[in-house]
């Protein structure tokens, strides 16, 4: 079995690579990444890419078809991955997250790939009423990131069939410790604030709903999707990926962190403008289709793990929202230092712009 993982050098990728290596010890695992965040290692005992058979470097906007030769499954993680980045780089977000995703899926089908796993998002539900959203609920994307996921799913569906199985995993909001930790995620932010300042300042009124999933539980779901048969969910499947128990309001998350870390104060900005991104999600279908790959982490375990991980890093930066643990800050720094251009292409590496340079780790 040969598996290609795009965007493997981000927040989610290290756990996915570790999980797939354990599940398929004889498989050939290949990574493909732009390497913006390659240096963002946090509490990593080894270089995560050492578990791969090969690491390729290149831009998914120009990934050559040869990369897919002999590949059985594609795990497509590569994306401009959050709302602040999507707001600043909206055109690039649509190019990378949407147009490139569809192009790679088309090339994958032509190359004989059997399974295409797309990392989608529950954020496509946007502003939602009290009812938990199912896969059949109306989509209401409010950001460039969410719109890119909706557009991609729409074009992936007709590609499925003729031996090409497509699984679109609509993930809940990621959280938890990673070998490339991000702090621009709600729970991770709260724990980091608690560790460094003893306070959690909720920037909204705290009422929006968020479903969450541990980053390693995302990897469990991807392991299932890589081997999914069409008889289990159809040739095309878009499925909410998470757990019904992990639907929380933002203030509940902050209070859970404060409970786990005595002495932490929680402040709510009751004068804040309402955050329209609020949605509860129903994960019954995922539970039905993937009973052996359900989320294993609890909220309290995740908070404790993040706390311990940050302590192990001797993390003390109270100004972390302006640090390189925020993905937008990394891109800003790369632009400010002349390393990447306005289209987020490497300036110093012509191969990253004209064609993908293939290298091994």
């Amino acid at each position: 079995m040969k598996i290609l993982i795009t965007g493997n050098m981000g927040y989610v990728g290290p756990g996915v690579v570790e999980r797939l290596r354990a599940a398929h010890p004889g498989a050939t695992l290949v990574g493909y990444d732009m390497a913006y965040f390659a240096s963002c290692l946090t509490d990593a005992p080894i270089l995560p890419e050492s578990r791969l058979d090969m690491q390729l470097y290149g831009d998914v906007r120009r990934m050559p078809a040869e990369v897919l030769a002999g590949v059985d499954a594609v795990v497509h993680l590569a994306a401009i991955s959050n709302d602040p980045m999507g707001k600043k780089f909206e055109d690039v977000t649509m190019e990378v997250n949407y147009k490139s995703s569809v192009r790679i899926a088309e090339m994958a089908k032509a190359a004989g790939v059997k399974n295409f796993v797309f990392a989608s998002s529950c954020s496509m539900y946007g502003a939602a009423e009290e009812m938990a959203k199912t896969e059949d609920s109306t989509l209401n994307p409010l950001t460039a990131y969410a719109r890119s996921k909706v557009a991609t799913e729409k074009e992936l569906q007709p590609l499925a069939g003729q031996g090409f199985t497509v699984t679109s995993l609509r993930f809940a909001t990621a959280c938890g410790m990673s070998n490339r930790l991000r702090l621009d995620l709600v729970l991770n932010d709260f724990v980091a604030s608690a560790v460094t300042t003893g306070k959690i300042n909720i920037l909204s009124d705290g009422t929006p709903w968020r479903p969450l999933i541990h980053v390693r539980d995302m990897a469990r779901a991807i392991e299932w999707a890589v081997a999914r048969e069409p008889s289990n969910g159809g040739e095309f499947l878009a499925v909410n990926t998470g757990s019904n128990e992990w639907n929380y309001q933002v203030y509940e998350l902050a209070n859970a962190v404060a409970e786990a870390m005595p002495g932490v104060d929680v402040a709510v900005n009751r004068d804040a403008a309402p955050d329209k991104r609020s949605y509860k999600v129903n994960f019954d279908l995922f539970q039905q289709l993937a009973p052996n790959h359900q989320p294993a982490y609890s909220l309290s375990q995740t908070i404790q793990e993040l706390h311990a991980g940050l302590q192990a890093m001797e993390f003390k930066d109270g100004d972390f929202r302006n640090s390189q643990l925020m993905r937008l800050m990394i891109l800003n720094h790369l632009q400010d230092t002349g390393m990447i251009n306005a289209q987020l292409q490497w300036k110093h590496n012509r191969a990253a712009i004209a064609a993908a340079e293939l290298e091994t780790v």
Side-chain angles (χ1 to χ4, degrees):
M1 190 178 191
K2 185 176 182 180
I3 305 172
L4 173 70
I5 306 123
T6 70
N8 64 288
M9 300 177 82
Y11 174 60
V12 179
V16 171
V17 170
E18 183 176 3
R19 183 84 191 185
L20 291 179
R21 175 54 71 208
H24 304 282
T28 298
L29 302 183
V30 180
Y32 189 93
D33 199 283
M34 194 71 157
Y36 298 134
F37 312 119
S39 63
C40 301
L41 293 170
T42 49
D43 197 30
I46 63 170
L47 185 68
E49 292 69 54
S50 64
R51 294 187 174 94
L52 296 169
D53 295 278
M54 182 178 291
Q55 177 67 55
L56 310 180
Y57 298 95
D59 190 332
V60 290
R61 290 168 286 188
R62 293 169 177 81
M63 192 179 86
E66 305 89 78
V67 171
L68 293 156
V71 170
D72 298 289
V74 173
V75 176
H76 188 48
L77 303 175
I80 305 299
S81 60
N82 68 7
D83 293 339
M85 286 192 288
K87 183 177 181 179
K88 181 170 182 178
F89 304 108
E90 185 164 354
D91 290 342
V92 177
T93 293
M94 295 307 288
E95 285 287 335
V96 171
N97 296 14
Y98 162 43
K99 294 181 181 179
S100 295
S101 299
V102 175
R103 174 177 167 268
I104 290 172
E106 290 171 341
M107 291 194 302
K109 183 174 183 177
V113 171
K114 297 175 183 177
N115 281 73
F116 187 88
V117 182
F118 175 60
S120 191
S121 172
C122 285
S123 65
M124 61 177 58
Y125 296 117
E129 296 82 19
E130 286 298 309
M131 185 85 58
K133 295 300 177 180
T134 71
E135 291 76 5
D136 296 324
S137 296
T138 301
L139 303 180
N140 184 24
L142 299 177
T143 64
Y145 174 76
R147 289 192 294 272
S148 74
K149 298 299 185 181
V150 172
T152 303
E153 280 196 12
K154 184 178 179 180
E155 294 202 33
L156 288 181
Q157 185 167 5
L159 288 176
Q162 300 174 314
F164 187 60
T165 301
V166 177
T167 308
S168 184
L169 298 171
R170 294 179 179 176
F171 283 118
T173 298
C175 62
M177 200 65 198
S178 164
N179 290 154
R180 285 192 174 91
L181 181 64
R182 285 172 53 187
L183 295 182
D184 49 5
L185 295 159
V186 60
L187 185 65
N188 297 4
D189 177 291
F190 286 169
V191 176
S193 293
V195 167
T196 58
T197 69
K199 299 178 182 179
I200 299 173
N201 293 311
I202 303 176
L203 301 181
S204 70
D205 65 1
T207 61
W209 285 91
R210 289 285 189 280
L212 271 68
I213 185 172
H214 193 288
V215 68
R216 290 189 179 274
D217 286 332
M218 295 172 73
R220 290 169 61 85
I222 287 169
E223 178 198 339
W224 165 75
V226 159
R228 187 180 70 84
E229 296 290 340
S231 57
N232 185 29
E235 292 173 322
F236 175 82
L237 173 67
V239 60
N240 296 335
T241 307
S243 169
N244 291 330
E245 289 72 32
W246 275 69
N247 279 298
Y248 291 100
Q249 288 180 282
V250 170
Y251 76 84
E252 292 179 307
L253 296 173
N255 289 339
V257 173
E259 184 177 342
M261 300 170 62
V264 171
D265 294 325
V266 176
V268 177
N269 184 359
R270 302 193 182 280
D271 296 327
D275 187 343
K276 295 180 180 179
R277 299 168 302 162
S278 178
Y279 45 91
K280 287 191 290 185
V281 177
N282 181 299
F283 297 99
D284 288 349
L285 180 61
F286 179 59
Q287 186 174 35
Q288 173 190 334
L289 296 176
N292 298 322
H293 291 81
Q294 290 299 293
Y297 278 81
S298 67
L299 178 60
S300 61
Q301 286 174 322
T302 305
I303 292 169
Q304 291 167 7
E305 178 197 60
L306 281 165
H307 187 192
L310 291 170
Q311 286 183 317
M313 291 165 54
E314 299 183 350
F315 181 73
K316 299 176 182 178
D317 185 3
D319 191 34
F320 66 86
R321 293 193 183 106
N322 291 310
S323 78
Q324 295 205 358
L325 289 172
M326 311 292 281
R327 292 300 192 249
L328 178 58
M329 295 298 105
I330 294 284
L331 296 184
N332 287 342
H333 174 73
L334 291 174
Q335 282 196 319
D336 291 344
T337 54
M339 298 296 288
I340 60 175
N341 62 21
Q343 287 73 46
L344 305 187
Q345 297 164 322
W346 290 107
K347 288 185 178 181
H348 69 278
N349 185 351
R350 287 175 295 172
I353 298 174
E357 176 86 32
L358 307 185
E359 294 182 30
T360 58
V361 171

